[in-house]
Amino acid sequence: MQKHYTGLIERYRDRLPVSKSTRVISLCEGNTPLIQLQNIPRMIGKDVDIYVKFEGLNPTGSFKDRGMTMAVTKAVEAGSQAIICASTGNTSASAAAYAARAGIKAFVLIPEGKIALGKLAQTLMYNATIIQINGNFDQGMELVKEVANHAPVSIVNSINPFRLEGQKTAAFEIVDELGFAPDYHCLPVGNAGNISAYWKGYKEYATERVCGNRPVMCGYQAAGAAPFLAGHKIDNPETVATAIRIGNPQSWDFAIAAQQESGGWFDKFTDQQILAAQKMLSQFEGIFCEPASATSLAGALNDIGTGKIPEGSKIVCTLTGNGIKDPEIAMQQCADAKPVTIEADLDAVKRAILDCL
Ligand code: AN7
């Protein structure tokens, strides 16, 4: 027995592509809480068990750390001195952190002005080299693929298969904790790496009879960035949920397979619906995720409401990133709840409290 938790590679070593001699680059990622919602199911008056897998509690505040521990471990094993990624923010923060941990260099290409403040601050602190482009994520991704042919850098975007290997462990953790796979698994979809990784994880656990069932996979996109609903890539994705402002998903085929094999579906939700779900989760459950992450709950609540997800179901929604990542959106969400400023005396404080009760 290990004395303390040392990360998902150690925990699931026998199911991951590492050997005894592999130097593991880890920040103790994974092992995130699966929190059952208590108030929202009651408020909507439906008999459903909704759990959220709070991936915002990973070391850099997003699920990307699961993939990054694997990708950077394998890059270092192969002798890489530098990694590179294109990113809407979370991948860049995660890549930068794991590169720092490994003692190698990280280059990140990000769309100028479209990265949440917390993600930019992290990436700077971890000391990555940030290259901002006058373009979107999809253009950055194409450039990264090109430049990797011309410079000694390993790509750590989710087109790197080790990323999905690491990320599949989230499905393992859910099954290990519940003792079964949920009936429905709801995820936000951008590049579609994560939905592909979860499906891989569930399939591996189901076929080895760790559990007897697999979930229906539900992939939810932002309405302005919904190529899976359009049926083709789109050129100018737009959404307040900048993490999933992606028009050309790199894991298209895997995600379609996940949807078809599981009997699942894709759907899209407006920025307004996404932000409402984010606020609801914070306000009524005390769980603060970033806007993109709330797309999973927006979708689940919609599909529970219409009966597409029937009563009696056990549902897991992945909350992919921490709400603190995007303080600007949070402040906008709460613009009507401006704090009052008063004199620093007892009477004034008393009045301020009594006024609110
Ligand atoms: C919070 O960081 O693509 O469908 O470059 O940050 O696996 O792409 C982020 C994606 C959902 C979508 N939620 O996951 C990046 C990046 C959050 C995210 C997604 C992202 P995929």
Side-chain angles (χ1 to χ4, degrees):
M1 246 325 247
Q2 268 167 227
K3 275 210 213 65
H4 63 101
Y5 183 79
T6 53
L8 60 85
I9 293 181
E10 292 303 343
R11 179 167 178 189
Y12 294 110
R13 191 170 251 283
D14 55 338
R15 294 172 183 278
L16 292 169
V18 287
S19 73
K20 272 209 177 79
S21 60
T22 305
R23 176 190 160 205
V24 173
I25 311 297
S26 171
L27 289 164
C28 298
E29 56 295 309
N31 201 23
T32 54
L34 186 65
I35 309 168
Q36 184 167 8
L37 300 189
Q38 293 179 343
N39 300 317
I40 292 174
R42 204 173 55 228
M43 287 164 55
I44 62 174
K46 297 281 186 178
D47 173 27
V48 283
D49 289 342
I50 309 175
Y51 300 85
V52 294
K53 181 72 169 158
F54 194 14
E55 291 287 279
L57 294 182
N58 274 296
T60 78
S62 86
F63 73 97
K64 304 287 182 183
D65 296 341
R66 289 184 186 275
M68 208 55 73
T69 185
M70 268 311 311
V72 175
T73 290
K74 295 305 279 186
V76 168
E77 188 173 51
S80 251
Q81 292 296 317
I83 57 173
I84 190 166
C85 65
S87 180
T88 58
N90 280 324
T91 301
S92 64
S94 186
Y98 284 82
R101 185 77 163 170
I104 61 174
K105 228 178 145 32
F107 296 95
V108 308
L109 259 77
I110 57 174
E112 202 265 322
K114 296 293 182 181
I115 302 290
L117 190 61
K119 302 173 189 179
L120 196 56
Q122 287 180 285
T123 308
L124 287 164
M125 284 300 289
Y126 297 133
N127 208 32
T129 300
I130 300 181
I131 302 164
Q132 302 199 91
I133 60 165
N134 289 316
N136 61 27
F137 168 83
D138 301 303
Q139 294 166 299
M141 189 67 244
E142 293 311 312
L143 289 165
V144 162
K145 285 197 263 186
E146 292 254 330
V147 82
N149 294 324
H150 300 279
V153 287
S154 301
I155 300 180
V156 295
N157 282 103
S158 53
I159 57 170
N160 176 331
F162 297 122
R163 278 278 310 276
L164 301 197
E165 287 298 307
Q167 285 171 218
K168 76 183 180 186
T169 60
F172 296 167
E173 287 178 14
I174 290 165
V175 172
D176 284 344
E177 191 149 337
L178 294 177
F180 49 82
D183 302 313
Y184 296 86
H185 193 117
C186 305
L187 287 148
V189 173
N191 248 318
N194 213 25
I195 193 170
S196 306
Y198 270 90
W199 183 237
K200 187 172 198 296
Y202 281 124
K203 279 199 299 187
E204 287 181 13
Y205 252 30
T207 53
E208 293 179 27
R209 296 197 181 79
V210 179
C211 66
N213 64 320
R214 299 171 185 186
V216 171
M217 303 298 290
C218 309
Y220 301 127
Q221 303 212 275
F228 284 104
L229 281 300
H232 52 78
K233 66 180 178 182
I234 59 167
D235 280 336
N236 294 301
E238 254 336 317
T239 169
V240 70
T242 52
I244 51 173
R245 189 172 169 271
I246 295 170
N248 184 14
Q250 298 297 305
S251 294
W252 183 279
D253 293 343
F254 286 142
I256 294 287
Q259 176 250 317
Q260 290 180 349
E261 291 170 20
S262 73
W265 57 83
F266 295 105
D267 206 344
K268 60 180 177 182
F269 296 92
T270 63
D271 284 358
Q272 210 180 352
Q273 289 171 298
I274 292 168
L275 292 176
Q278 185 201 21
K279 187 68 172 57
M280 191 179 187
L281 200 50
S282 300
Q283 181 173 0
F284 299 117
E285 299 285 355
I287 301 167
F288 184 24
C289 68
E290 67 172 284
S293 309
T295 311
S296 60
L297 183 69
L301 293 179
N302 180 76
D303 291 344
I304 292 164
T306 62
K308 198 170 182 181
I309 296 179
E311 292 207 51
S313 296
K314 297 184 189 311
I315 305 147
V316 173
C317 295
T318 298
L319 301 180
T320 44
N322 199 300
I324 304 170
K325 294 261 190 183
D326 199 339
E328 290 169 315
I329 295 298
M331 292 305 284
Q332 284 170 31
Q333 285 257 56
C334 303
D336 294 338
K338 280 234 173 67
V340 292
T341 303
I342 56 164
E343 290 311 309
D345 72 55
L346 180 60
D347 267 353
V349 176
K350 207 167 85 184
R351 241 179 294 121
I353 291 170
L354 293 177
D355 279 355
C356 291
L357 291 175

PDB file of all heavy atoms in Angstrom, residues 214-245:
ATOM      1  N   ARG A 214     -21.848   0.511 -19.262  1.00  0.00           N
ATOM      2  CA  ARG A 214     -21.197   1.700 -19.824  1.00  0.00           C
ATOM      3  C   ARG A 214     -22.237   2.804 -19.901  1.00  0.00           C
ATOM      4  O   ARG A 214     -23.409   2.526 -20.105  1.00  0.00           O
ATOM      5  CB  ARG A 214     -20.740   1.437 -21.264  1.00  0.00           C
ATOM      6  CG  ARG A 214     -19.750   0.329 -21.413  1.00  0.00           C
ATOM      7  CD  ARG A 214     -19.568   0.058 -22.894  1.00  0.00           C
ATOM      8  NE  ARG A 214     -18.705  -1.101 -23.099  1.00  0.00           N
ATOM      9  CZ  ARG A 214     -18.281  -1.498 -24.290  1.00  0.00           C
ATOM     10  NH1 ARG A 214     -18.660  -0.863 -25.381  1.00  0.00           N
ATOM     11  NH2 ARG A 214     -17.496  -2.543 -24.383  1.00  0.00           N
ATOM     12  N   PRO A 215     -21.792   4.046 -19.778  1.00  0.00           N
ATOM     13  CA  PRO A 215     -22.766   5.139 -19.856  1.00  0.00           C
ATOM     14  C   PRO A 215     -23.108   5.522 -21.292  1.00  0.00           C
ATOM     15  O   PRO A 215     -22.352   5.221 -22.228  1.00  0.00           O
ATOM     16  CB  PRO A 215     -22.041   6.300 -19.172  1.00  0.00           C
ATOM     17  CG  PRO A 215     -20.598   6.032 -19.420  1.00  0.00           C
ATOM     18  CD  PRO A 215     -20.425   4.535 -19.493  1.00  0.00           C
ATOM     19  N   VAL A 216     -24.228   6.190 -21.426  1.00  0.00           N
ATOM     20  CA  VAL A 216     -24.551   6.924 -22.643  1.00  0.00           C
ATOM     21  C   VAL A 216     -23.762   8.231 -22.578  1.00  0.00           C
ATOM     22  O   VAL A 216     -23.793   8.920 -21.559  1.00  0.00           O
ATOM     23  CB  VAL A 216     -26.070   7.224 -22.695  1.00  0.00           C
ATOM     24  CG1 VAL A 216     -26.406   8.177 -23.831  1.00  0.00           C
ATOM     25  CG2 VAL A 216     -26.849   5.927 -22.790  1.00  0.00           C
ATOM     26  N   MET A 217     -23.029   8.556 -23.646  1.00  0.00           N
ATOM     27  CA  MET A 217     -22.197   9.752 -23.630  1.00  0.00           C
ATOM     28  C   MET A 217     -22.934  10.939 -24.255  1.00  0.00           C
ATOM     29  O   MET A 217     -23.409  10.846 -25.403  1.00  0.00           O
ATOM     30  CB  MET A 217     -20.894   9.505 -24.398  1.00  0.00           C
ATOM     31  CG  MET A 217     -20.066   8.322 -23.882  1.00  0.00           C
ATOM     32  SD  MET A 217     -19.477   8.501 -22.184  1.00  0.00           S
ATOM     33  CE  MET A 217     -18.255   9.793 -22.375  1.00  0.00           C
ATOM     34  N   CYS A 218     -23.015  12.028 -23.508  1.00  0.00           N
ATOM     35  CA  CYS A 218     -23.710  13.227 -23.975  1.00  0.00           C
ATOM     36  C   CYS A 218     -22.705  14.360 -24.102  1.00  0.00           C
ATOM     37  O   CYS A 218     -22.122  14.782 -23.099  1.00  0.00           O
ATOM     38  CB  CYS A 218     -24.801  13.624 -22.996  1.00  0.00           C
ATOM     39  SG  CYS A 218     -25.914  12.274 -22.559  1.00  0.00           S
ATOM     40  N   GLY A 219     -22.479  14.829 -25.319  1.00  0.00           N
ATOM     41  CA  GLY A 219     -21.498  15.882 -25.565  1.00  0.00           C
ATOM     42  C   GLY A 219     -22.185  17.200 -25.859  1.00  0.00           C
ATOM     43  O   GLY A 219     -22.992  17.295 -26.781  1.00  0.00           O
ATOM     44  N   TYR A 220     -21.865  18.198 -25.067  1.00  0.00           N
ATOM     45  CA  TYR A 220     -22.556  19.483 -25.196  1.00  0.00           C
ATOM     46  C   TYR A 220     -21.597  20.580 -25.632  1.00  0.00           C
ATOM     47  O   TYR A 220     -20.509  20.711 -25.093  1.00  0.00           O
ATOM     48  CB  TYR A 220     -23.211  19.849 -23.868  1.00  0.00           C
ATOM     49  CG  TYR A 220     -24.219  18.819 -23.376  1.00  0.00           C
ATOM     50  CD1 TYR A 220     -24.123  18.286 -22.095  1.00  0.00           C
ATOM     51  CD2 TYR A 220     -25.268  18.391 -24.197  1.00  0.00           C
ATOM     52  CE1 TYR A 220     -25.053  17.360 -21.631  1.00  0.00           C
ATOM     53  CE2 TYR A 220     -26.195  17.465 -23.743  1.00  0.00           C
ATOM     54  CZ  TYR A 220     -26.089  16.952 -22.456  1.00  0.00           C
ATOM     55  OH  TYR A 220     -26.990  16.030 -21.995  1.00  0.00           O
ATOM     56  N   GLN A 221     -22.045  21.366 -26.599  1.00  0.00           N
ATOM     57  CA  GLN A 221     -21.224  22.447 -27.138  1.00  0.00           C
ATOM     58  C   GLN A 221     -21.897  23.803 -26.909  1.00  0.00           C
ATOM     59  O   GLN A 221     -23.107  23.866 -26.655  1.00  0.00           O
ATOM     60  CB  GLN A 221     -21.013  22.231 -28.647  1.00  0.00           C
ATOM     61  CG  GLN A 221     -20.366  20.884 -28.970  1.00  0.00           C
ATOM     62  CD  GLN A 221     -19.496  20.958 -30.200  1.00  0.00           C
ATOM     63  OE1 GLN A 221     -20.001  20.819 -31.304  1.00  0.00           O
ATOM     64  NE2 GLN A 221     -18.191  21.170 -30.013  1.00  0.00           N
ATOM     65  N   ALA A 222     -21.094  24.847 -27.039  1.00  0.00           N
ATOM     66  CA  ALA A 222     -21.654  26.200 -27.014  1.00  0.00           C
ATOM     67  C   ALA A 222     -22.279  26.467 -28.382  1.00  0.00           C
ATOM     68  O   ALA A 222     -21.730  26.070 -29.414  1.00  0.00           O
ATOM     69  CB  ALA A 222     -20.557  27.212 -26.718  1.00  0.00           C
ATOM     70  N   ALA A 223     -23.426  27.142 -28.381  1.00  0.00           N
ATOM     71  CA  ALA A 223     -24.188  27.327 -29.623  1.00  0.00           C
ATOM     72  C   ALA A 223     -23.356  27.983 -30.733  1.00  0.00           C
ATOM     73  O   ALA A 223     -23.482  27.622 -31.898  1.00  0.00           O
ATOM     74  CB  ALA A 223     -25.446  28.151 -29.340  1.00  0.00           C
ATOM     75  N   GLY A 224     -22.481  28.913 -30.354  1.00  0.00           N
ATOM     76  CA  GLY A 224     -21.672  29.604 -31.355  1.00  0.00           C
ATOM     77  C   GLY A 224     -20.405  28.866 -31.749  1.00  0.00           C
ATOM     78  O   GLY A 224     -19.605  29.365 -32.546  1.00  0.00           O
ATOM     79  N   ALA A 225     -20.216  27.699 -31.153  1.00  0.00           N
ATOM     80  CA  ALA A 225     -19.008  26.908 -31.435  1.00  0.00           C
ATOM     81  C   ALA A 225     -19.395  25.429 -31.424  1.00  0.00           C
ATOM     82  O   ALA A 225     -18.892  24.646 -30.635  1.00  0.00           O
ATOM     83  CB  ALA A 225     -17.929  27.196 -30.383  1.00  0.00           C
ATOM     84  N   ALA A 226     -20.309  25.082 -32.324  1.00  0.00           N
ATOM     85  CA  ALA A 226     -20.916  23.745 -32.275  1.00  0.00           C
ATOM     86  C   ALA A 226     -20.737  22.964 -33.574  1.00  0.00           C
ATOM     87  O   ALA A 226     -21.712  22.590 -34.245  1.00  0.00           O
ATOM     88  CB  ALA A 226     -22.397  23.870 -31.930  1.00  0.00           C
ATOM     89  N   PRO A 227     -19.496  22.672 -33.946  1.00  0.00           N
ATOM     90  CA  PRO A 227     -19.279  21.935 -35.196  1.00  0.00           C
ATOM     91  C   PRO A 227     -19.950  20.549 -35.226  1.00  0.00           C
ATOM     92  O   PRO A 227     -20.383  20.110 -36.288  1.00  0.00           O
ATOM     93  CB  PRO A 227     -17.749  21.811 -35.271  1.00  0.00           C
ATOM     94  CG  PRO A 227     -17.246  22.096 -33.902  1.00  0.00           C
ATOM     95  CD  PRO A 227     -18.224  23.021 -33.285  1.00  0.00           C
ATOM     96  N   PHE A 228     -20.068  19.885 -34.064  1.00  0.00           N
ATOM     97  CA  PHE A 228     -20.706  18.563 -34.080  1.00  0.00           C
ATOM     98  C   PHE A 228     -22.200  18.656 -34.387  1.00  0.00           C
ATOM     99  O   PHE A 228     -22.789  17.703 -34.881  1.00  0.00           O
ATOM    100  CB  PHE A 228     -20.479  17.822 -32.755  1.00  0.00           C
ATOM    101  CG  PHE A 228     -19.094  17.267 -32.630  1.00  0.00           C
ATOM    102  CD1 PHE A 228     -18.146  17.884 -31.822  1.00  0.00           C
ATOM    103  CD2 PHE A 228     -18.710  16.146 -33.364  1.00  0.00           C
ATOM    104  CE1 PHE A 228     -16.848  17.383 -31.728  1.00  0.00           C
ATOM    105  CE2 PHE A 228     -17.419  15.636 -33.276  1.00  0.00           C
ATOM    106  CZ  PHE A 228     -16.489  16.259 -32.458  1.00  0.00           C
ATOM    107  N   LEU A 229     -22.796  19.808 -34.094  1.00  0.00           N
ATOM    108  CA  LEU A 229     -24.200  19.991 -34.457  1.00  0.00           C
ATOM    109  C   LEU A 229     -24.329  20.383 -35.916  1.00  0.00           C
ATOM    110  O   LEU A 229     -25.286  20.009 -36.598  1.00  0.00           O
ATOM    111  CB  LEU A 229     -24.851  21.045 -33.553  1.00  0.00           C
ATOM    112  CG  LEU A 229     -25.273  20.586 -32.149  1.00  0.00           C
ATOM    113  CD1 LEU A 229     -26.282  19.458 -32.228  1.00  0.00           C
ATOM    114  CD2 LEU A 229     -24.104  20.179 -31.266  1.00  0.00           C
ATOM    115  N   ALA A 230     -23.339  21.136 -36.414  1.00  0.00           N
ATOM    116  CA  ALA A 230     -23.345  21.544 -37.823  1.00  0.00           C
ATOM    117  C   ALA A 230     -23.016  20.348 -38.721  1.00  0.00           C
ATOM    118  O   ALA A 230     -23.409  20.300 -39.881  1.00  0.00           O
ATOM    119  CB  ALA A 230     -22.333  22.672 -38.047  1.00  0.00           C
ATOM    120  N   GLY A 231     -22.257  19.404 -38.171  1.00  0.00           N
ATOM    121  CA  GLY A 231     -21.841  18.248 -38.973  1.00  0.00           C
ATOM    122  C   GLY A 231     -20.545  18.491 -39.737  1.00  0.00           C
ATOM    123  O   GLY A 231     -20.127  17.665 -40.536  1.00  0.00           O
ATOM    124  N   HIS A 232     -19.933  19.605 -39.487  1.00  0.00           N
ATOM    125  CA  HIS A 232     -18.654  19.931 -40.134  1.00  0.00           C
ATOM    126  C   HIS A 232     -17.951  21.006 -39.317  1.00  0.00           C
ATOM    127  O   HIS A 232     -18.580  21.680 -38.489  1.00  0.00           O
ATOM    128  CB  HIS A 232     -18.874  20.435 -41.567  1.00  0.00           C
ATOM    129  CG  HIS A 232     -19.874  21.554 -41.646  1.00  0.00           C
ATOM    130  ND1 HIS A 232     -19.578  22.850 -41.304  1.00  0.00           N
ATOM    131  CD2 HIS A 232     -21.192  21.553 -41.999  1.00  0.00           C
ATOM    132  CE1 HIS A 232     -20.647  23.609 -41.446  1.00  0.00           C
ATOM    133  NE2 HIS A 232     -21.652  22.851 -41.859  1.00  0.00           N
ATOM    134  N   LYS A 233     -16.646  21.204 -39.608  1.00  0.00           N
ATOM    135  CA  LYS A 233     -15.928  22.245 -38.878  1.00  0.00           C
ATOM    136  C   LYS A 233     -16.468  23.620 -39.241  1.00  0.00           C
ATOM    137  O   LYS A 233     -17.009  23.804 -40.342  1.00  0.00           O
ATOM    138  CB  LYS A 233     -14.425  22.147 -39.152  1.00  0.00           C
ATOM    139  CG  LYS A 233     -14.007  22.428 -40.563  1.00  0.00           C
ATOM    140  CD  LYS A 233     -12.492  22.289 -40.671  1.00  0.00           C
ATOM    141  CE  LYS A 233     -12.061  22.523 -42.108  1.00  0.00           C
ATOM    142  NZ  LYS A 233     -10.617  22.366 -42.314  1.00  0.00           N
ATOM    143  N   ILE A 234     -16.324  24.550 -38.307  1.00  0.00           N
ATOM    144  CA  ILE A 234     -16.800  25.904 -38.585  1.00  0.00           C
ATOM    145  C   ILE A 234     -15.646  26.898 -38.445  1.00  0.00           C
ATOM    146  O   ILE A 234     -14.681  26.650 -37.718  1.00  0.00           O
ATOM    147  CB  ILE A 234     -17.976  26.299 -37.668  1.00  0.00           C
ATOM    148  CG1 ILE A 234     -17.582  26.237 -36.182  1.00  0.00           C
ATOM    149  CG2 ILE A 234     -19.194  25.421 -37.927  1.00  0.00           C
ATOM    150  CD1 ILE A 234     -18.590  26.919 -35.284  1.00  0.00           C
ATOM    151  N   ASP A 235     -15.773  28.020 -39.149  1.00  0.00           N
ATOM    152  CA  ASP A 235     -14.630  28.928 -39.281  1.00  0.00           C
ATOM    153  C   ASP A 235     -14.458  29.947 -38.162  1.00  0.00           C
ATOM    154  O   ASP A 235     -13.345  30.237 -37.765  1.00  0.00           O
ATOM    155  CB  ASP A 235     -14.708  29.675 -40.614  1.00  0.00           C
ATOM    156  CG  ASP A 235     -14.220  28.806 -41.763  1.00  0.00           C
ATOM    157  OD1 ASP A 235     -13.431  27.873 -41.491  1.00  0.00           O
ATOM    158  OD2 ASP A 235     -14.647  29.043 -42.908  1.00  0.00           O
ATOM    159  N   ASN A 236     -15.546  30.512 -37.681  1.00  0.00           N
ATOM    160  CA  ASN A 236     -15.415  31.590 -36.701  1.00  0.00           C
ATOM    161  C   ASN A 236     -16.194  31.302 -35.427  1.00  0.00           C
ATOM    162  O   ASN A 236     -17.193  31.958 -35.143  1.00  0.00           O
ATOM    163  CB  ASN A 236     -15.877  32.916 -37.323  1.00  0.00           C
ATOM    164  CG  ASN A 236     -14.953  33.349 -38.441  1.00  0.00           C
ATOM    165  OD1 ASN A 236     -13.744  33.539 -38.231  1.00  0.00           O
ATOM    166  ND2 ASN A 236     -15.496  33.462 -39.635  1.00  0.00           N
ATOM    167  N   PRO A 237     -15.721  30.325 -34.637  1.00  0.00           N
ATOM    168  CA  PRO A 237     -16.435  29.985 -33.408  1.00  0.00           C
ATOM    169  C   PRO A 237     -16.451  31.165 -32.441  1.00  0.00           C
ATOM    170  O   PRO A 237     -15.464  31.896 -32.339  1.00  0.00           O
ATOM    171  CB  PRO A 237     -15.620  28.817 -32.838  1.00  0.00           C
ATOM    172  CG  PRO A 237     -14.251  28.982 -33.414  1.00  0.00           C
ATOM    173  CD  PRO A 237     -14.466  29.567 -34.778  1.00  0.00           C
ATOM    174  N   GLU A 238     -17.561  31.367 -31.764  1.00  0.00           N
ATOM    175  CA  GLU A 238     -17.680  32.437 -30.771  1.00  0.00           C
ATOM    176  C   GLU A 238     -18.482  31.942 -29.576  1.00  0.00           C
ATOM    177  O   GLU A 238     -19.551  31.360 -29.755  1.00  0.00           O
ATOM    178  CB  GLU A 238     -18.434  33.640 -31.375  1.00  0.00           C
ATOM    179  CG  GLU A 238     -17.628  34.864 -31.725  1.00  0.00           C
ATOM    180  CD  GLU A 238     -16.306  35.104 -31.005  1.00  0.00           C
ATOM    181  OE1 GLU A 238     -16.243  34.905 -29.766  1.00  0.00           O
ATOM    182  OE2 GLU A 238     -15.330  35.495 -31.658  1.00  0.00           O
ATOM    183  N   THR A 239     -17.978  32.151 -28.395  1.00  0.00           N
ATOM    184  CA  THR A 239     -18.736  31.888 -27.171  1.00  0.00           C
ATOM    185  C   THR A 239     -18.052  32.549 -25.990  1.00  0.00           C
ATOM    186  O   THR A 239     -16.829  32.739 -25.992  1.00  0.00           O
ATOM    187  CB  THR A 239     -18.900  30.377 -26.882  1.00  0.00           C
ATOM    188  OG1 THR A 239     -19.421  30.218 -25.546  1.00  0.00           O
ATOM    189  CG2 THR A 239     -17.596  29.616 -26.972  1.00  0.00           C
ATOM    190  N   VAL A 240     -18.871  32.883 -25.001  1.00  0.00           N
ATOM    191  CA  VAL A 240     -18.350  33.433 -23.746  1.00  0.00           C
ATOM    192  C   VAL A 240     -17.468  32.392 -23.044  1.00  0.00           C
ATOM    193  O   VAL A 240     -16.563  32.742 -22.289  1.00  0.00           O
ATOM    194  CB  VAL A 240     -19.532  33.877 -22.841  1.00  0.00           C
ATOM    195  CG1 VAL A 240     -20.305  32.656 -22.306  1.00  0.00           C
ATOM    196  CG2 VAL A 240     -19.064  34.735 -21.683  1.00  0.00           C
ATOM    197  N   ALA A 241     -17.749  31.122 -23.303  1.00  0.00           N
ATOM    198  CA  ALA A 241     -16.963  30.033 -22.710  1.00  0.00           C
ATOM    199  C   ALA A 241     -15.707  29.835 -23.555  1.00  0.00           C
ATOM    200  O   ALA A 241     -15.607  28.922 -24.374  1.00  0.00           O
ATOM    201  CB  ALA A 241     -17.798  28.759 -22.659  1.00  0.00           C
ATOM    202  N   THR A 242     -14.719  30.713 -23.353  1.00  0.00           N
ATOM    203  CA  THR A 242     -13.548  30.758 -24.240  1.00  0.00           C
ATOM    204  C   THR A 242     -12.796  29.429 -24.308  1.00  0.00           C
ATOM    205  O   THR A 242     -12.155  29.135 -25.312  1.00  0.00           O
ATOM    206  CB  THR A 242     -12.564  31.864 -23.802  1.00  0.00           C
ATOM    207  OG1 THR A 242     -12.271  31.711 -22.403  1.00  0.00           O
ATOM    208  CG2 THR A 242     -13.154  33.244 -24.054  1.00  0.00           C
ATOM    209  N   ALA A 243     -12.898  28.614 -23.263  1.00  0.00           N
ATOM    210  CA  ALA A 243     -12.200  27.319 -23.256  1.00  0.00           C
ATOM    211  C   ALA A 243     -12.655  26.431 -24.420  1.00  0.00           C
ATOM    212  O   ALA A 243     -11.875  25.633 -24.931  1.00  0.00           O
ATOM    213  CB  ALA A 243     -12.433  26.593 -21.932  1.00  0.00           C
ATOM    214  N   ILE A 244     -13.917  26.576 -24.816  1.00  0.00           N
ATOM    215  CA  ILE A 244     -14.452  25.715 -25.881  1.00  0.00           C
ATOM    216  C   ILE A 244     -14.791  26.524 -27.138  1.00  0.00           C
ATOM    217  O   ILE A 244     -15.672  26.164 -27.905  1.00  0.00           O
ATOM    218  CB  ILE A 244     -15.670  24.885 -25.395  1.00  0.00           C
ATOM    219  CG1 ILE A 244     -16.728  25.758 -24.724  1.00  0.00           C
ATOM    220  CG2 ILE A 244     -15.196  23.790 -24.432  1.00  0.00           C
ATOM    221  CD1 ILE A 244     -18.027  25.002 -24.384  1.00  0.00           C
ATOM    222  N   ARG A 245     -14.049  27.591 -27.332  1.00  0.00           N
ATOM    223  CA  ARG A 245     -14.207  28.417 -28.531  1.00  0.00           C
ATOM    224  C   ARG A 245     -13.371  27.769 -29.644  1.00  0.00           C
ATOM    225  O   ARG A 245     -12.312  28.228 -30.019  1.00  0.00           O
ATOM    226  CB  ARG A 245     -13.707  29.829 -28.208  1.00  0.00           C
ATOM    227  CG  ARG A 245     -13.966  30.887 -29.245  1.00  0.00           C
ATOM    228  CD  ARG A 245     -13.570  32.256 -28.664  1.00  0.00           C
ATOM    229  NE  ARG A 245     -13.544  33.310 -29.682  1.00  0.00           N
ATOM    230  CZ  ARG A 245     -12.481  33.616 -30.411  1.00  0.00           C
ATOM    231  NH1 ARG A 245     -11.350  32.947 -30.278  1.00  0.00           N
ATOM    232  NH2 ARG A 245     -12.539  34.604 -31.302  1.00  0.00           N
TER     233      ARG A 245
END
